[in-house]
């Protein structure tokens, strides 16, 4: 920390301002050791404090200083400053007034959450467009890295298409809905597309092949994630096989009963899903229940225990 304080002091000295090293060190110590602010962020913050105190422009201080390196999303690290080139994969509903936008940005190596703080004063980004985020700081939250676009950052629009890579991601939350097009469905035997009202959009009326699929809506309290489960995972998590689903539908003379049954089994429960993100969907590769009861279930459990 002494070395960091010396560096800061030396740079101010070049600009003709002498700040006692002890004063810098004290501020750094408070941020790093007391408030657990990452080292680089603490440095910026302390520098900003003295820039303000001595009325020095930020540009003047950083001129000739090395710029943040351009790095891949898979290589970001806690507390580091970086330039990130990527495509906006998703924008999420933002509930905090100090946040301008929040969402997911991706490059060839994967995706990462980003937050554009209101105080950054940058123009807003659009889903599906590519940008260069300059001077953003990485931090870790709940074991995941995220990017912060703050008042030291800037955003440039890029006129290029970025292919977003399929890094494995994990999402933990409640399944809050299962969308139509789920349950027992029929697929086109030619192209495997799901049929709508017995017809393929490419091949018209065809004799479809039965399959199981779930298009789930997951909610972790911060964001919503659409997730797609294929047949093997649907069978695993519902305990319902394709054959039993066909029988159930045949008995009821209604394919819709399978979807209703799945909703009864899964909606309102907590799951951990892992898979790859494709556009707005998480293509699930594994799913496991998270042990969590809501209060109504707890009452039932207590009642059941009393009967025994
Ligand atoms: Zn087809």
């Amino acid at each position: 920390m002494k070395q960091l304080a010396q560096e800061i002091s030396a740079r101010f000295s070049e600009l003709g301002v002498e700040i006692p090293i002890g004063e810098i060190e004290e501020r750094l110590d408070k941020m790093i050791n007391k408030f657990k602010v990452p080292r680089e962020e603490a440095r910026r913050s302390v520098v900003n404090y003295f820039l303000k105190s001595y009325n020095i422009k930020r540009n003047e201080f950083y001129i000739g200083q090395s710029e943040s390196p351009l790095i891949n999303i898979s290589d970001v690290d806690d507390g580091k400053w970086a330039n990130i080139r990527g495509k906006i994969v998703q924008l999420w509903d933002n509930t905090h007034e100090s946040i301008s936008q929040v969402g997911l940005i991706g490059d060839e190596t994967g995706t990462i959450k980003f937050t554009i703080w209101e105080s950054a004063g940058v123009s807003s980004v659009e889903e599906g467009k590519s940008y260069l985020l300059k001077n953003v700081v990485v931090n870790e939250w709940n074991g995941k890295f995220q990017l912060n676009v703050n008042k030291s950052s800037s955003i440039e629009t890029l006129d290029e298409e970025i292919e977003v890579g399929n890094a494995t991601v994990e999402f933990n939350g409640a399944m809050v809905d299962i969308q139509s097009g789920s349950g027992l469905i029929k697929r086109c035997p030619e192209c495997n597309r799901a049929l709508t009202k017995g017809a393929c959009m490419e091949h018209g009326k065809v004799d479809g092949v039965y399959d199981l699929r779930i298009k789930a809506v997951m909610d972790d309290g911060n964001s919503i994630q659409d997730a797609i489960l294929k047949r093997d995972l649907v069978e695993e998590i519902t305990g319902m096989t394709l054959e039993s689903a066909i029988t159930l539908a045949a008995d009821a003379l209604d394919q819709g009963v399978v979807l209703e049954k799945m909703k009864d089994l899964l909606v309102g429960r907590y799951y951990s899903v892992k898979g790859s993100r494709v556009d707005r969907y998480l293509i699930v590769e594994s799913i496991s229940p998270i042990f969590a009861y809501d209060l109504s279930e707890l009452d039932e459990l207590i009642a059941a225990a009393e009967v025994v």
Side-chain angles (χ1 to χ4, degrees):
M1 196 166 335
K2 184 139 206 137
Q3 197 196 334
L4 192 56
Q6 272 164 353
E7 274 171 40
I8 295 172
S9 167
R11 180 61 190 148
F12 274 101
S13 182
E14 283 171 21
L15 297 171
V17 178
E18 299 301 332
I19 305 167
I21 288 189
E23 215 177 300
I24 299 172
E25 219 172 339
E26 195 186 314
R27 286 190 172 271
L28 285 172
D29 177 63
K30 202 185 266 178
M31 298 204 77
I32 296 173
N33 295 323
K34 193 168 172 203
F35 297 114
K36 307 291 174 208
V37 173
R39 197 180 145 91
E40 276 304 292
E41 205 167 339
R43 188 176 72 85
R44 293 256 164 175
S45 172
V46 169
V47 166
N48 284 345
Y49 171 83
F50 288 113
L51 288 176
K52 224 176 228 172
S53 312
Y54 291 95
N55 207 11
I56 300 169
K57 287 204 178 76
R58 199 186 304 264
N59 296 347
E60 211 176 315
F61 184 87
Y62 287 112
I63 211 155
Q65 303 263 294
S66 63
E67 209 188 290
S68 300
L70 180 67
I71 59 174
N72 291 332
I73 286 175
S74 61
D75 295 332
V76 300
D77 205 0
D78 193 19
K80 291 272 161 53
W81 288 79
N83 291 349
I84 299 283
R85 170 194 150 277
K87 181 161 92 174
I88 307 300
V89 178
Q90 268 187 345
L91 287 171
W92 297 333
D93 287 339
N94 155 35
T95 51
H96 205 287
E97 61 180 18
S98 63
I99 292 173
S100 159
Q101 284 181 302
V102 58
L104 201 67
I105 187 167
D107 68 8
E108 291 82 355
T109 67
T111 56
I112 190 170
K113 181 186 168 185
F114 69 90
T115 301
I116 302 178
W117 296 91
E118 196 66 56
S119 58
V122 295
S123 51
S124 53
V125 296
E126 287 175 44
E127 251 176 47
K129 290 200 171 164
S130 302
Y131 299 90
L132 177 64
L133 310 185
K134 294 179 90 170
N135 263 334
V136 295
V137 67
V138 182
N139 71 350
E140 197 181 334
W141 177 252
N142 280 344
K144 283 181 205 154
F145 293 128
Q146 53 180 31
L147 304 176
N148 293 280
V149 180
N150 60 29
K151 54 179 184 277
S152 304
S153 316
S154 61
I155 297 182
E156 288 173 18
T157 307
L158 297 179
D159 195 17
E160 60 178 307
E161 183 63 28
I162 292 172
E163 189 91 18
V164 176
N166 292 339
T168 297
V169 287
E170 185 178 343
F171 191 91
N172 299 323
M175 197 179 290
V176 292
D177 194 18
I178 297 179
Q179 294 177 301
S180 63
S182 301
L184 185 61
I185 61 163
K186 277 187 168 178
R187 293 188 180 278
C188 173
E190 311 246 351
C191 67
N192 212 36
R193 278 196 185 88
L195 304 183
T196 313
K197 295 193 163 90
C200 171
M201 58 183 276
E202 177 92 28
H203 300 100
K205 272 262 185 253
V206 287
D207 203 3
V209 181
Y210 278 117
D211 194 12
L212 291 175
R213 172 175 75 175
I214 287 179
K215 291 159 88 176
V217 182
M218 310 274 299
D219 186 344
D220 70 357
N222 286 318
S223 59
I224 299 278
Q225 175 68 54
D226 291 323
I228 295 185
L229 284 84
K230 293 181 181 151
R231 177 183 162 186
D232 55 338
L233 292 176
V234 173
E235 291 184 329
E236 178 191 318
I237 203 75
T238 62
M240 201 191 302
T241 62
L242 178 60
E243 290 70 29
S244 67
I246 293 169
T247 308
L248 191 68
D251 288 349
L253 298 173
D254 178 11
Q255 219 164 289
V257 295
V258 176
L259 175 55
E260 289 312 311
K261 177 100 189 273
M262 286 177 178
K263 283 185 178 173
D264 285 348
L265 287 168
L266 308 179
V267 170
R269 292 177 189 271
Y270 291 81
Y271 295 95
S272 172
V273 294
K274 280 185 194 145
S276 51
R277 264 201 188 95
V278 176
D279 293 331
R280 53 189 275 247
Y281 292 105
L282 187 79
I283 310 300
V284 179
E285 280 142 27
S286 72
I287 179 166
S288 53
I290 299 173
F291 195 70
Y293 290 111
D294 66 35
L295 283 178
S296 63
E297 278 178 306
L298 201 58
D299 284 342
E300 280 175 32
L301 283 171
I302 292 166
E306 278 167 359
V307 170
V308 175

